[in-house]
Amino acid sequence: PHFMYPMCSAEQFAASMSRLGIGPDTRVVLYDDMLNIWAARVWWMLRSFGFERAAILNGGWKKWLAEGRAVSTEIATPAPAPFVCRPRAGFIADRHEVSTAIDDTATCLLHSLDADEYAGRGTIRYQRPGHIPSSVNVSFLDLIDPATQTYLAAGPLHERFDRVGALSADRVITYCGGAIAACSTAFAMALLGHGRDEAPRHGEPL
């Protein structure tokens, strides 16, 4: 969709979700065939607009097919539903907040792409190589099992975030090149209870 990279307005998002039949009591399960990152992006957008009944199918389409589960070619036509946006503060960091966070030890800037991109090595996909000063690196690729595309267990996830200080920070700002991979990183942190009042049981959908 056209609004996936830049954040859309509440009105645009509500109209799109309403067309998909998502109302206040709808249970949403998101999946993709791209390492969960697009599903995580929609999960994050839904949460940022105050919708909490969304989950990610762990392992996505790849695991679903590998387990021989049912598939269909029928195009779903849901009835429109009244999606209501309730924008939540703190889900988007602007340029000023990020600039301030560079020298703020209470905020962790978390670069979510791979180590080579963080270091400015290899293929340069964006205009400038490297990373925001003072940011640390946890690649979204290191948070999943490459064979199953499922998120790692709580122990390994905790170790990856803890070693860069993300779990002890007052605030974490995840970023990447287009705000897609960073949403998967944010989801993995949410699996550990970061940003929630109570940590879920590992494997429980968020």
Side-chain angles (χ1 to χ4, degrees):
H2 66 282
F3 57 68
M4 288 299 288
Y5 286 99
M7 191 61 169
C8 62
S9 69
E11 292 77 16
Q12 286 176 302
F13 192 74
S16 294
M17 295 302 104
S18 293
R19 284 195 299 272
L20 294 173
I22 300 174
D25 297 322
T26 306
R27 181 62 164 154
V28 176
V29 179
L30 304 156
Y31 69 94
D32 62 32
D33 62 354
M34 288 288 292
L35 306 171
N36 307 317
I37 60 174
W38 290 101
R41 168 65 177 193
V42 179
W43 166 83
W44 176 84
M45 294 177 81
L46 285 163
R47 286 194 77 205
S48 71
F49 284 122
F51 186 89
E52 295 288 351
R53 294 178 54 80
I56 291 176
L57 179 63
N58 204 6
W61 184 239
K62 178 177 180 177
K63 189 169 185 288
W64 184 269
L65 292 180
E67 293 175 346
R69 297 183 181 272
V71 300
S72 173
T73 57
E74 182 180 349
I75 304 300
T77 54
F83 186 90
V84 178
C85 280
R86 298 181 176 87
R88 299 170 64 185
F91 270 66
I92 300 175
D94 61 25
R95 184 179 303 177
H96 173 72
E97 288 177 272
V98 174
S99 295
T100 301
I102 291 173
D103 297 315
D104 177 14
T105 57
T107 300
C108 176
L109 292 171
L110 188 55
H111 180 281
S112 299
L113 298 174
D114 65 41
D116 281 344
E117 289 179 289
Y118 176 79
R121 298 188 299 258
T123 301
I124 305 301
R125 292 194 293 164
Y126 303 103
Q127 289 182 342
R128 299 172 65 187
H131 57 272
I132 296 172
S134 85
S135 66
V136 295
N137 179 226
V138 177
S139 171
F140 77 101
L141 294 170
D142 292 336
L143 304 176
I144 60 169
D145 180 334
T148 63
Q149 298 189 9
T150 58
Y151 287 95
L152 300 179
L157 285 180
H158 188 282
E159 187 276 331
R160 282 158 174 73
F161 291 118
D162 191 49
R163 71 186 177 197
V164 298
L167 298 181
S168 58
D170 292 341
R171 186 186 187 193
V172 177
I173 299 173
T174 64
Y175 76 95
C176 58
I180 308 301
C183 292
S184 188
T185 305
F187 180 81
M189 293 198 71
L191 285 174
L192 297 177
H194 196 92
R196 293 173 49 124
D197 293 334
E198 180 181 353
R201 296 182 301 276
H202 189 74
E204 174 188 358
L206 288 175

